[in-house]
Structures are given as C-alpha cells and as structure tokens.
Amino acid sequence: MSENKILYEGKAKQLFATENEFELIQFFKDDATAFNKKKHEIINSKGVLNNLISENIFKYLGSKNIPNHFIKRLNEREQLIKKVEIIPIEVVVRNIAAGTFTQRFGIEEGKKLPETLIEFNLKDDEHDDPLISDEHIKVFKWANQLEINEIKLKALSINNHLTELFNSIDILLVDFKIEFGRTQSGNTKEIILADEISPDSCRLWDKKSNEKLDKDRFRRNLGGLIEAYKEVATRLGIDLSSI
Ligand code: TMP
Ligand code: ASP
C-alpha cells in the first residue's frame, strides 16, 4: 500500500486514501494490544484472519439489511470500505458479564444479564477510553439524541443477528464492540456500521466447553490465539487454505 497516502493509524489497523474520495482502504495489522497498549505483541497472521472474519460478518450483516462500510476484500490484509466520518464512540453490547463489566460491578464472569446492555466508551486512548453516558454524548456534541437512538436500535439489531449467527456455529456471543460513522446520502446523513467485527472486538465462547475463542486469550496470556481465531473462521465457513 506504500503508494497510497496513510490517513489514520490505529492499534490494529491503518486507513489509506484511494483515487475515489468516497472510498478508503482498511489494512489489518498483526499488532495485538490490550489494557490500552500496556500489553503489546505482534501475532503473525492475526491481521489476515481478522480481515477474513470481518469480511464474512459484514457481508452477513449486509444480507440482513444492516448498512455498513464494507465494499469488498482486496487481498489478504486489505478491504475497500466506504469513507465515513467516524462517531468517536465505542458502542459495547453485553449479553453475558465479562471483562471490565465484572470488575466494575463485582459480578462473576459468565452470568447472563437479565437484558442486553449497551454501554458507550469514548474513543480516547490518552484517557483510557472512559465510560460515558448519553448525556456526555449530547453535551460534547459527539452525536445528537436522534443519532443516539438510532445507534442503540442498530446495535441491538446487530446483536440479534450476530447472536443467531454464532449460535448456529455453537459459539456464545458474550459481548462485542462496534463503531458507527456518518455518510452523506443525498441531503441527509446516514449512520452506518464501520470499523471491524472480529475476535479482537468480540468475546466468543465455545458453547460446549466455554473455551475462549477471542482476544482474551492474549489479554490473559492463555496462548493459542491464532488457533482460536482459525477455529472461529472455520466454523463461519471461511476457506483458510491460503494461510
Ligand atoms: P471490556 O469488557 O474490556 O469493556 O470490553 C467489552 C467488549 O468490547 C469486548 O468484547 C472487547 C470490546 N472492546 C474492544 O474491542 N475495544 C475497546 O476499546 C473496548 C473498550 C472494548
Ligand atoms: N483499548 C484496548 C487496547 O488497548 C482494547 C482491549 O483491551 O482489548 O487495545
């Protein structure tokens, strides 16, 4: 991608400009980070697997009428996406208690929540992605109330579709993080799903053994991250013969 201008570098991805002002290239790196970069490693092929898994999930959500930024996969690490203005909020959807939620409320990992819970974190590494409420989002004008409502509805719908998808391959969707962006659609701005959905951004447990098939393998030094991501990809029906 060296001939294209880099527009953004995140912890696990880079974004490049293309000749088309409405399209970007999203490149998946092998970097694994946790606890806001306090833990960092390069894990060979992670980017390739996340590119394939995210492609598969965005196509699936597209087929369920969830508008999203994915256009097509270009090669093993890159996909062509629609350019959006990212809303700087990490939308976390939780079905089962895990991660920071268990620490914050002293609830044991694995407890099913009485209802699906949506939380918001500000995308702000310098301040450790603080937990925020609708009120912060409105006061700081990161989004307006109508957009917040739309984001919540979309997040719940995505949760329903992903829970069904993973359930069909014997995986429990514990929680996940998604991001949204604005695109111009005629005179109005449309909110669409952006970023990635992969085992980096979801907690996925094998339904029979409860084995973790996601980035918690790295966060908790469990080993076997690539094997776990390959297992998710294989169950999704992704062809891994080229890896
Ligand atoms: P948490 O338990 O660490 O708050 O994370 C909840 C879910 O959201 C988990 O699946 C990981 C994902 N997530 C990210 O992928 N990136 C983030 O920056 C955050 C805060 C969460
Ligand atoms: N924001 C975290 C990081 O530093 C994400 C995580 O802990 O998974 O990468």
Side-chain angles (χ1 to χ4, degrees):
M1 269 331 309
S2 48
E3 72 272 24
N4 288 37
K5 184 172 165 235
I6 185 159
L7 298 178
Y8 170 84
E9 169 120 37
K11 286 177 290 212
K13 294 188 297 296
Q14 295 168 322
L15 292 178
F16 294 90
T18 67
E19 282 89 76
N20 183 331
E21 60 172 317
F22 302 108
E23 295 177 357
L24 300 180
I25 288 169
Q26 175 165 260
F27 178 97
F28 288 77
K29 305 193 285 184
D30 280 341
D31 297 64
T33 66
F35 315 116
N36 205 13
K37 283 202 261 191
K38 287 175 197 85
K39 188 169 160 63
H40 178 216
E41 262 174 50
I42 306 289
I43 303 184
N44 271 339
S45 319
K46 180 174 79 74
V48 176
L49 286 161
N50 281 349
N51 186 21
L52 289 167
I53 293 171
S54 203
E55 170 194 21
N56 183 284
I57 292 177
F58 274 69
K59 278 184 178 164
Y60 171 79
L61 290 173
S63 78
K64 302 289 178 187
N65 297 318
I66 304 285
N68 65 66
H69 75 166
F70 181 83
I71 300 172
K72 65 174 178 184
R73 189 167 58 81
L74 299 171
N75 54 47
E76 64 171 13
R77 285 187 187 271
E78 294 175 332
Q79 43 183 252
L80 192 65
I81 57 169
K82 290 182 198 161
K83 185 175 184 173
V84 299
E85 173 200 336
I86 283 283
I87 298 172
I89 295 166
E90 308 199 325
V91 180
V92 172
V93 181
R94 299 184 187 273
N95 297 307
I96 292 167
T100 60
F101 184 84
T102 56
Q103 294 155 16
R104 247 185 284 132
F105 297 105
I107 295 175
E108 76 181 287
E109 182 177 82
K111 198 166 167 42
K112 190 175 183 330
L113 301 179
E115 277 178 52
T116 296
L117 179 72
I118 297 179
E119 292 179 338
F120 298 122
N121 289 82
L122 182 64
K123 264 173 80 73
D124 181 354
D125 285 344
E126 217 182 304
H127 300 99
D128 276 346
D129 294 344
L131 189 68
I132 52 171
S133 72
D134 296 29
E135 300 303 314
H136 296 94
I137 297 175
K138 278 185 281 179
V139 168
F140 288 106
K141 298 201 176 348
W142 293 312
N144 64 36
Q145 186 64 59
L146 283 176
E147 289 178 321
I148 297 171
N149 296 347
E150 195 180 329
I151 285 170
K152 285 183 182 169
L153 282 175
K154 285 200 155 102
L156 288 177
S157 171
I158 291 166
N159 183 49
N160 288 340
H161 291 303
L162 292 186
T163 298
E164 198 178 303
L165 173 69
F166 284 115
N167 191 41
S168 72
I169 53 171
D170 281 331
I171 289 175
L172 205 56
L173 178 62
V174 173
D175 59 29
F176 60 96
K177 184 267 299 186
I178 44 181
E179 295 181 22
F180 292 92
R182 300 184 184 93
T183 50
Q184 197 70 36
S185 159
N187 285 332
T188 52
K189 289 213 165 166
E190 193 195 355
I191 290 185
I192 65 171
L193 176 68
D195 192 52
E196 71 174 289
I197 300 181
S198 72
D200 267 14
S201 58
C202 302
R203 283 198 175 88
L204 305 169
W205 296 352
D206 177 74
K207 262 203 310 201
K208 290 189 191 102
S209 65
N210 266 351
E211 195 189 348
K212 296 181 196 311
L213 302 173
D214 57 63
K215 205 170 86 172
D216 269 349
R217 302 210 69 85
F218 168 71
R219 293 190 191 95
R220 299 186 181 191
N221 299 316
L222 298 173
L225 179 132
I226 290 299
E227 292 73 12
Y229 284 32
K230 280 188 175 169
E231 178 66 26
V232 172
T234 304
R235 289 198 206 178
L236 285 169
I238 296 170
D239 176 11
L240 295 181
S241 54
S242 63
I243 296 186

